[in-house]
Amino acid sequence: MILIWVGVDDTDSTSGGCTTYVACMLIKELTKEKYDIIGYPRLVRLNPNIPWKTRGNGAVSFLVGKGEGKKTKIGEIREKEVFSYETSSDDSNYDRLKEIVEQVIEEYAILGDENTNSGFVLFRNPPSYEVYLKTVRGIVSLKEVKELLDSSAWYFKGFKNGRGLIGATASVAWTPVRDRTFELITYRKKEKWGSPRFVDDVSTKKMDKIVSSTFDNYDYENHHNRLVPNSPCPVLYGVRGENPVDLFKAKSIVKSEKVDSWIIFETNQGTDDHLQEKNIRDIQPYDSVITQGVVSKEPFTLQGGHVVFEIKDETGFIDCAAYEPTKQFRKIVRKLIPGDMVEVYGGVRETPFTVNLEKIRVKMLVEKYEKVENPVCPVCGKHMKSIGRNQGYRCIKCGSKSNYPIVKRAERGLKPGFYEVPVCARRHISKPLKRIKRENGESKLNHKSF
Ligand code: ATP
């Protein structure tokens, strides 16, 4: 049998389920029937701005083979064994594989929910990386995906409207060529699903300090344990990190209710793969962008605590928003003033048409002056009086006028550098500054995360 890529998506709903759990159950069933899973299963996050996602727009895929004595171990990369396969043409293996995937999806997908439209795909040769890039950065139609599947998939099946085929295909098209991270996900015992989770905060913080290659574990300012999801899904907790071996160590430190099963995924989480550099004029709804501009309107706070400001470049203007859930990050944004140069990172909403900030790089700050006192009359040597709001000053003795009060340079309370939203507000796919720092070297960046 040759190797087959399996991709699955859209099996969960807001009331339960999780596509990673379906992958875990599938792998369990497949290994029971002596199929091999080659390499790590993959958890691929796609366009975070699409309105019809359940939560984090994740899809899963993995490579399956059937050893049957023809498997040759060709090497070992740390914890990961690498095998080569000789092919045999036993078609019954294919049919059984197809059957198992279908049965497991039917058993675990929440197909009763009107928004769950599961899909699975089986490929001998994965689709091109471009298919992934398009799905993580733009909007893809089911029609174009079906055309691709008709011409290149070995088998595929969509349930209900079949929209899950889009993510399932894109997850097979992802390959960790640019960047990748890992996530160890633990699952709860079935009888616990839907009840409050027990994952100990103290041990989570301990793990965060000890296992430095992990990220987005705990939000110290907002007292939020980010390992733990807040939906009624089967996941108990997930630890994200650079290195799969360290994730085992992390798991041994975190104290929690009993773990039923666990799995490690290779992922595009924390990579910023969704972002594209764009001029303001070229930004479209549902894009995720990096764009540079000069602050053109003072930040203001909307009802609900959302902070909005406008930037401009030579091609146009756009609003940028730090929404209420970004908590302390809004304090940074409020300190910006017209003339500051910034680079913003974030997803774009259609209505309102704004860049929803994930990170900001303050590139240059203008000087800010504040009034100390009214101007002094050059004739009489006395302080002038204000004529009225924005109308200047006049000397009450001789009538001399001035438009300019005495000012001093104000403290900006902000430095050039990178700032990011707090852990509790971070998107799965956003690259944390911790990772950017690691790549660029600690000392080169001025940065702050909240
Ligand atoms: P979870 O992360 O909990 O698994 P989810 O947030 O992934 O849930 P889904 O239930 O999978 O949400 O719904 C997302 C749907 O959007 C899927 O059907 C997927 O195929 C589709 N989709 C993903 N990316 C795109 C895209 N770029 N364009 C169009 N459709 C997309």
Side-chain angles (χ1 to χ4, degrees):
M1 180 191 178
I2 55 171
L3 305 179
I4 296 279
W5 279 101
V6 179
V8 182
D9 195 16
D10 207 337
T11 65
D12 57 356
S13 79
T14 46
S15 61
C18 174
T19 302
T20 72
Y21 184 70
V22 172
C24 191
M25 292 302 104
L26 249 174
I27 288 169
K28 230 177 201 168
E29 284 309 309
L30 289 167
T31 46
K32 245 190 236 165
E33 298 207 19
K34 305 261 181 292
Y35 287 88
D36 295 305
I37 308 301
I38 325 275
Y40 288 97
R42 295 170 172 185
L43 165 57
V44 183
R45 299 285 172 183
L46 299 165
N47 188 338
N49 308 315
I50 58 158
W52 50 87
K53 65 180 182 173
T54 309
R55 282 179 293 268
N57 202 5
V60 296
S61 59
F62 50 86
L63 184 59
V64 182
K66 187 112 175 165
E68 307 236 77
K70 290 285 184 191
K71 190 167 65 177
T72 328
K73 190 168 162 186
I74 58 168
E76 229 170 74
I77 306 176
R78 284 194 300 195
E79 76 297 341
K80 186 164 152 186
E81 293 186 332
V82 180
F83 295 96
S84 73
Y85 275 76
E86 284 185 26
T87 61
S88 90
S89 54
D90 181 357
D91 280 349
S92 64
N93 284 331
Y94 292 139
D95 294 336
R96 185 64 195 134
L97 171 63
K98 202 159 78 179
E99 251 171 48
I100 297 171
V101 178
E102 195 160 337
Q103 276 166 12
V104 171
I105 291 179
E106 275 172 3
E107 184 174 350
Y108 292 100
I110 316 292
L111 288 163
D113 186 294
E114 57 170 342
N115 296 319
T116 303
N117 297 288
S118 310
F120 76 88
V121 294
L122 305 180
F123 278 95
R124 287 181 176 163
N125 298 306
S128 87
Y129 188 70
E130 292 304 312
V131 173
Y132 158 68
L133 279 184
K134 199 168 170 197
T135 324
V136 77
R137 294 181 175 176
I139 301 282
V140 177
S141 73
L142 187 53
K143 184 170 169 280
E144 63 187 297
V145 167
K146 276 194 177 146
E147 278 165 15
L148 173 88
L149 291 168
D150 279 333
S151 64
S152 61
W154 175 67
Y155 183 80
F156 63 94
K157 179 165 179 172
F159 297 78
K160 293 156 71 183
N161 76 20
R163 188 160 62 196
L165 292 170
I166 301 171
T169 304
S171 76
V172 174
W174 179 66
T175 179
V177 278
R178 290 154 55 99
D179 192 9
R180 57 112 187 261
T181 61
F182 295 87
E183 180 166 0
L184 185 153
I185 302 183
T186 63
Y187 300 98
R188 314 182 74 190
K189 296 224 159 275
K190 199 163 183 178
E191 61 272 17
K192 291 275 190 183
W193 294 0
S195 66
R197 294 171 172 87
F198 169 65
V199 179
D200 172 56
D201 282 357
V202 174
S203 63
T204 301
K205 289 186 231 176
K206 186 174 163 195
M207 178 280 287
D208 182 57
K209 302 244 151 65
I210 294 175
V211 192
S212 64
S213 63
T214 58
F215 56 88
D216 289 355
N217 297 316
Y218 196 87
D219 187 326
Y220 292 88
E221 292 212 42
N222 299 298
H223 311 289
H224 176 85
N225 191 330
R226 179 78 205 293
L227 303 190
V228 187
N230 54 13
S231 65
C233 70
V235 173
L236 177 57
Y237 66 81
V239 191
R240 291 158 278 255
E242 305 283 343
N243 178 334
V245 179
D246 289 354
L247 295 180
F248 288 110
K249 186 169 177 195
K251 180 174 171 289
S252 72
I253 298 170
V254 175
K255 294 196 176 81
S256 70
E257 68 186 54
K258 209 163 172 50
V259 169
D260 182 63
S261 47
W262 58 272
I263 186 168
I264 292 184
F265 287 98
E266 187 172 37
T267 91
N268 65 344
Q269 294 179 155
T271 63
D272 273 352
D273 264 5
H274 60 315
L275 298 172
Q276 305 174 75
E277 283 184 39
K278 284 203 168 185
N279 287 327
I280 291 176
R281 181 183 48 209
D282 300 328
I283 297 175
Q284 301 289 324
Y286 311 121
D287 279 351
S288 295
V289 295
I290 303 174
T291 193
Q292 188 171 300
V294 171
V295 176
S296 44
K297 275 192 195 148
E298 195 99 28
F300 59 97
T301 304
L302 295 172
Q303 203 177 14
H306 317 302
V307 180
V308 180
F309 63 98
E310 184 192 77
I311 60 167
K312 67 171 185 196
D313 68 4
E314 60 286 1
T315 68
F317 299 82
I318 196 161
D319 278 343
C320 303
Y323 286 98
E324 190 282 329
T326 66
K327 305 288 176 203
Q328 299 83 356
F329 178 70
R330 295 171 300 162
K331 284 191 195 158
I332 293 298
V333 168
R334 283 197 188 101
K335 288 179 182 165
L336 293 168
I337 59 173
D340 290 342
M341 186 182 283
V342 293
E343 185 173 63
V344 297
Y345 294 62
V348 182
R349 294 200 171 183
E350 185 166 32
T351 11
F353 187 63
T354 50
V355 179
N356 183 357
L357 293 176
E358 294 166 18
K359 283 191 278 282
I360 188 167
R361 185 174 200 157
V362 177
K363 299 193 84 166
M364 205 196 70
L365 293 167
V366 290
E367 288 181 348
K368 183 179 174 184
Y369 291 92
E370 61 191 11
K371 179 182 153 188
V372 181
E373 52 192 28
N374 289 357
V376 173
C377 172
V379 181
C380 311
K382 296 256 184 247
H383 279 110
M384 297 180 172
K385 286 265 185 284
S386 168
I387 303 171
R389 200 174 151 84
N390 297 328
Q391 291 178 56
Y393 303 87
R394 187 166 44 214
C395 174
I396 45 166
K397 233 173 148 194
C398 71
S400 299
K401 281 187 176 176
S402 168
N403 284 327
Y404 304 105
I406 297 169
V407 292
K408 69 164 192 207
R409 176 121 59 91
E411 273 299 317
R412 292 295 312 269
L414 182 65
K415 285 190 180 138
F418 249 129
Y419 299 87
E420 66 183 341
V421 301
V423 170
C424 68
R426 222 164 277 167
R427 285 180 147 169
H428 294 285
I429 197 165
S430 291
K431 189 182 253 187
L433 292 186
K434 186 175 180 184
R435 296 201 72 227
I436 297 179
K437 251 193 324 185
R438 203 182 264 268
E439 283 165 12
N440 295 354
E442 293 269 341
S443 56
K444 290 199 193 126
L445 281 172
N446 186 13
H447 47 76
K448 176 134 175 72
S449 58
F450 290 96

